[in-house]
Amino acid sequence: MTTSNEALRQWVTEVAELTRPANIHWCDGSQTEYQSLIKLMLETGDLLELDSSYKNCYLHRSDPSDVARVEHLTFVCTPDEAEAGPNNYWMAPADAHAKMHDLFAGCMAGRTLYVIPYCMGPIDSPYARCGVEITDSAYVAANMQLMTRMGAQALQRIERDDTFVRGLHSIGDLNPDRRFIMHFPKELMIQSFGSGYGGNALLGKKCHALRIASYQARQEGWLAEHMLIVEIESPQGEKHYLAAAFPSACGKTNLAMLIPPESQAGWKVRTLGDDIAWLHLDESGQLRAINPEAGYFGVVPGTNEQTNRNAYEMIQSDTIFTNVAVTANNEPWWEDKNVGEPAIDWKGQPYASENGPAAHPNSRFTVSAKQNRTYSPLADDPAGVPISAIIFGGRRRTLAPLVYQARDWNHGVLVGAGMASETTAAATGQVGVVRRDPMAMKPFCGYNFADYWGHWLSFAERSDNLPGIFHVNWFRRDADGRFLWPGFGENLRVLRWIIDRCEHRVDAVETPIGYLPHPADIDTRGLDMADGDMDLLLSVDTDSWREEANAIGAYLQGYGDRLPAALADEHKKLQDALG
Ligand code: OXD
Ligand code: MN
């Protein structure tokens, strides 16, 4: 196979001349191709077969040094450093190109070069965008097939539109000293070397659909966000679509697949996306969302029948597991699976508790979204879905109440810009330290955050029909470290308040940080909560918030003169309200 698109043909030729592969394979996205990739990886040992009770499921054990995103090795390469901003690592494009050229030279000798045309978003959606990833990893090719609309149809669209993002990837020798993930937004180009980990190597996901897309979105007037998209249907048949931005490994997949508890009979929840949303204003000023992805690359530990039955069932077949443990009878095993015992850990060693968790805390499943029993067919609608509310959130032991609403759009942009959360195992580095993660985009915004906030603010000038903006915190604890809120399916109770606010059906308490629920307006029937828990969950401690506002102010000042005046004004209003 080849292509009628001259630019693509030429690029593949140039890359092959540089990287010197033994073979070139153009991916068509067929089932036959998927099966032959699996067969090949079983032969090479890149995949291990799991017990037949897990039909078509495989285990990949990565290099132990290659288990997460590497933010310190991820660069945005714009000609002007200020354009990348203090939120990104930056390298001059010429230097980055020279470095990558040296790394890629001859790196595919003896290997197959896979050409992977893919489409981010429904293939016939005006909001979708295409890319081509070239890689020497069969694991990447198989994962891209699960995660994107990949193959012949995407290639046809590229030939029709004559535009695509170029992503060049090689696992190299997996040496962490020779690992770089470079983004060239002006050239619509990504170059990634030395890692096979999803966030570094499946280039359609973080690299294209967030970093490059956020840059394009600013130029073209839309938003590329780290958000799930979920449909909530009431017992009366009223439907709402919510988009929610939480940092990595903070429960987006669980919220997107929420199962209404028995107390919420008649409510239905369907999933449109669990990680990324592309948001556009339509002619009527309504914000609409598509999920650019077609699969889930989710965190495995913690997934069980109680926490997320949909995900648990979804990964019983046709799933690639990365870095989980296995039981004595070769079933995949992970912490809090609540079934079976680990025999071999994620590194392939006999399990011993003193060596740490059996499954890596950032072990992952890759699975087609269509395997989710609550998959919404609207995920394939080219027009996307109308968004009623945007929800920001993070992991905060203290301070942030269970839920509050921003007064208006501009205040909501400050709520998003001021977000902070405890770090997780999704990225290499210390876990559990609170860091600023505006809009959950700290690792993913392809340009200067100050300009990004300016772009968000500009939506208020373009529509008077924008969604309400909210902030949630499922992770608040009491002085003894006990979680105050049960979370998971029970979060529907909070989403119901959010929907009632959007429909102007319920009033709220005005506080310096925004509108909070009257405690009686959150349905707590049947919950096992101690007296006073709800009051604590909905409390706003002015002294702590004053400190928080100062910390947000200091952070925003780091963006200097580029910081939009309207955001500085919102911050001043917050400080004045706190007194
Ligand atoms: C992810 C992440 O894998 O955010 O989605 O790291
Ligand atoms: Mn993510």
Side-chain angles (χ1 to χ4, degrees), residues 494-565:
V494 174
L495 302 185
R496 285 180 54 191
W497 182 78
I498 289 176
I499 290 169
D500 282 344
R501 287 295 293 165
C502 294
E503 289 291 332
H504 309 288
R505 285 194 286 246
V506 66
D507 66 7
V509 185
E510 195 162 353
T511 77
I513 65 165
Y515 299 116
L516 263 81
H518 292 286
D521 288 335
I522 302 274
D523 171 10
T524 51
R525 280 169 309 143
L527 286 185
D528 184 19
M529 286 174 73
D531 280 353
D533 279 0
M534 194 37 101
D535 291 335
L536 205 51
L537 275 164
L538 295 178
S539 61
V540 176
D541 179 67
T542 315
D543 286 342
S544 314
W545 268 98
R546 238 180 250 127
E547 271 175 43
E548 178 75 355
N550 289 342
I552 294 172
Y555 175 72
L556 295 180
Q557 267 171 22
Y559 291 84
D561 293 347
R562 241 169 146 119
L563 189 72

Side-chain angles (χ1 to χ4, degrees), residues 205-206 210 226 246-249 252 274-276 364 444:
K205 193 174 180 62
K206 304 302 185 181
L210 287 175
H226 193 204
F246 307 155
S248 307
K252 283 199 297 301
D274 82 326
D275 196 40
I276 300 178
R364 296 282 177 148
F444 306 122

Side-chain angles (χ1 to χ4, degrees), residues 102-155:
D102 287 353
L103 291 170
F104 279 113
C107 72
M108 296 191 189
R111 300 181 186 172
T112 297
L113 177 160
Y114 297 93
V115 183
I116 307 172
Y118 63 85
C119 181
M120 301 310 289
I123 203 98
D124 46 359
S125 170
Y127 304 140
R129 293 284 189 279
C130 288
V132 177
E133 175 163 359
I134 294 181
T135 180
D136 54 8
S137 160
Y139 169 82
V140 166
N143 276 271
M144 284 294 282
Q145 172 141 6
L146 296 173
M147 292 300 298
T148 68
R149 293 158 176 93
M150 177 267 246
Q153 279 192 310
L155 185 59

Side-chain angles (χ1 to χ4, degrees), residues 310-540:
N310 288 333
Y312 187 75
E313 287 174 359
M314 167 178 87
I315 59 177
Q316 299 294 311
S317 71
D318 301 283
T319 300
I320 299 179
F321 290 93
T322 300
N323 291 339
V324 295
V326 290
T327 62
N329 61 341
N330 210 27
E331 291 185 356
W333 193 91
W334 53 87
E335 274 63 26
D336 293 328
K337 185 181 183 190
N338 297 345
V339 183
E341 295 291 333
I344 310 283
D345 70 12
W346 66 276
K347 291 184 183 159
Q349 303 299 322
Y351 172 67
S353 58
E354 61 273 21
N355 294 341
H360 189 277
N362 193 36
S363 52
R364 296 282 177 148
F365 56 76
T366 321
V367 67
S368 159
K370 296 234 164 86
Q371 276 197 206
N372 172 8
R373 64 201 297 222
T374 59
Y375 177 76
S376 166
L378 290 178
D380 290 310
D381 189 329
V385 291
I387 294 297
S388 303
I390 289 177
I391 306 172
F392 293 123
R395 251 175 222 275
R396 298 295 302 259
R397 289 175 164 255
T398 56
L399 190 83
L402 178 61
V403 58
Y404 64 100
Q405 180 181 13
R407 284 185 312 276
D408 54 26
W409 182 263
N410 281 9
H411 178 220
V413 176
L414 177 71
V415 170
M419 266 168 71
S421 189
E422 292 164 30
T423 50
T424 67
T428 309
Q430 224 186 330
V431 168
V433 287
V434 174
R435 74 160 178 180
R436 295 281 144 208
D437 192 350
M439 279 83 171
M441 284 286 279
K442 166 74 187 72
F444 306 122
C445 183
Y447 62 102
N448 191 318
F449 259 152
D451 301 341
Y452 169 79
W453 297 320
H455 181 47
W456 264 81
L457 292 164
S458 74
F459 279 68
E461 288 145 31
R462 293 171 55 203
S463 170
D464 50 17
N465 186 23
L466 291 168
I469 299 184
F470 296 80
H471 187 282
V472 298
N473 178 20
W474 316 135
F475 300 94
R476 187 137 170 192
R477 304 200 198 198
D478 69 8
D480 301 326
R482 180 181 58 98
F483 284 108
L484 288 164
W485 180 248
F488 301 106
E490 307 298 352
N491 293 335
L492 179 58
R493 298 169 191 258
V494 174
L495 302 185
R496 285 180 54 191
W497 182 78
I498 289 176
I499 290 169
D500 282 344
R501 287 295 293 165
C502 294
E503 289 291 332
H504 309 288
R505 285 194 286 246
V506 66
D507 66 7
V509 185
E510 195 162 353
T511 77
I513 65 165
Y515 299 116
L516 263 81
H518 292 286
D521 288 335
I522 302 274
D523 171 10
T524 51
R525 280 169 309 143
L527 286 185
D528 184 19
M529 286 174 73
D531 280 353
D533 279 0
M534 194 37 101
D535 291 335
L536 205 51
L537 275 164
L538 295 178
S539 61
V540 176

